[in-house]
């Protein structure tokens, strides 16, 4: 039996979070489509209803497709090794949203909950935003402000680097072991013991 690598790596895939989420979103899309067809046949569809159905179909169908693409990709979701932390991107823009953060830039690895478990990094002040982070425009700042007001004790920079553990499972023990092994000077902060 091969020895387990000291690096901690986890890939996107189907699990107890991603499968039910994809099924629920696709079922919602199917129900909306059926209701839309019924209203069209009965000739009771107003412009406002049509817009609401369209929006619901795009959100639920697009969300289900997004979760399925992410789970099927089997791409690296998180890797912690001697070089630093790789925060996997989001399909279909995996490459442009993947962020590698060297240990020299990291003050802390932070675990938090915002509907799902998340992992992010607190970096030294003054560094440019990571790929896949919200930008610095007015809308991005507004979203960042809303997000930080919803999660206690998590700064905007951590949330901007954050990755949700939906289509992959976060193993806190292996993560802690890898951080301690490769960067004992970096703090591991767990703001929610239930993640």
């Amino acid at each position: 039996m091969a020895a387990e690598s000291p690096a901690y790596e986890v890939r996107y895939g189907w699990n107890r979070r991603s499968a039910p989420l994809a099924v629920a979103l696709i079922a919602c899309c199917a129900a909306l489509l059926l209701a839309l067809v019924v209203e069209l046949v009965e000739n009771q569809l107003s412009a406002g209803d049509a817009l609401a159905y369209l929006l619901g179909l795009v959100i639920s169908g697009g969300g289900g497709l997004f979760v399925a693409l992410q789970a099927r990709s089997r791409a690296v979701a998180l890797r912690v090794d001697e070089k630093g932390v790789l925060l996997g991107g989001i399909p279909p823009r995996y490459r442009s949203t993947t962020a590698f953060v060297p240990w020299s830039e990291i003050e802390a690895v932070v675990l938090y909950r915002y509907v799902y478990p998340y992992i992010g990094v607190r970096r030294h002040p003054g560094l440019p935003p990571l790929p896949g982070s919200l930008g610095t425009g007015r809308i991005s700042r507004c979203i960042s402000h809303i997000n930080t007001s919803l999660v206690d004790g998590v700064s905007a920079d951590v949330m901007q680097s954050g990755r949700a553990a939906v289509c992959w499972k976060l193993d806190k023990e292996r993560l802690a072991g890898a951080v301690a092994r490769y960067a004992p000077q970096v703090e591991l902060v767990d703001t929610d013991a239930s993640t």
Side-chain angles (χ1 to χ4, degrees):
M1 186 170 155
E4 190 173 295
S5 167
Y8 172 50
E9 181 178 288
V10 62
R11 293 178 175 272
Y12 291 117
W14 293 107
N15 62 27
R16 66 181 178 83
R17 285 191 185 103
S18 58
L21 180 59
V23 168
L25 287 166
I26 292 168
C28 182
C29 183
L32 283 169
L33 191 57
L34 179 62
L36 175 62
V37 168
V38 167
E39 286 206 21
L40 282 172
V41 168
E42 294 177 355
N43 213 11
Q44 296 179 350
L45 189 66
S46 69
D49 288 345
L51 184 60
Y53 277 119
L54 181 61
L55 185 62
L57 287 168
V58 168
I59 291 171
S60 60
L65 182 62
F66 172 79
V67 170
L69 283 173
Q70 194 169 19
R72 282 200 75 226
S73 74
R74 299 295 300 148
V76 174
L78 175 69
R79 181 173 174 84
V80 179
D81 61 20
E82 68 278 354
K83 296 175 186 167
V85 177
L86 180 117
L87 300 164
I90 301 166
R93 297 179 45 231
Y94 179 81
R95 281 192 175 154
S96 66
T97 56
T98 295
F100 172 74
V101 190
W103 289 119
S104 61
E105 292 183 7
I106 300 174
E107 291 181 352
V109 174
V110 182
L111 305 177
Y112 62 98
R113 180 171 288 277
Y114 182 57
V115 180
Y116 293 102
Y118 271 76
I119 183 170
V121 293
R122 184 173 65 230
R123 300 178 349 163
H124 298 294
L127 295 170
L130 294 171
S133 297
L134 290 173
T136 56
R138 185 178 305 162
I139 293 173
S140 297
R141 286 193 313 268
C142 181
I143 291 169
S144 180
H145 178 71
I146 291 168
N147 287 344
T148 54
S149 69
L150 295 174
V151 181
D152 289 334
V154 180
S155 63
D157 64 320
V158 171
M159 289 196 86
Q160 286 198 349
S161 71
R163 302 298 196 267
V166 175
C167 294
W168 56 281
K169 182 166 177 23
L170 180 63
D171 183 333
K172 289 199 283 187
E173 231 176 81
R174 287 193 60 210
L175 173 66
V179 171
R181 183 179 307 108
Y182 298 121
Q185 76 283 5
V186 171
E187 184 181 10
L188 179 60
V189 178
D190 188 355
T191 66
D192 182 12
S194 67
T195 53

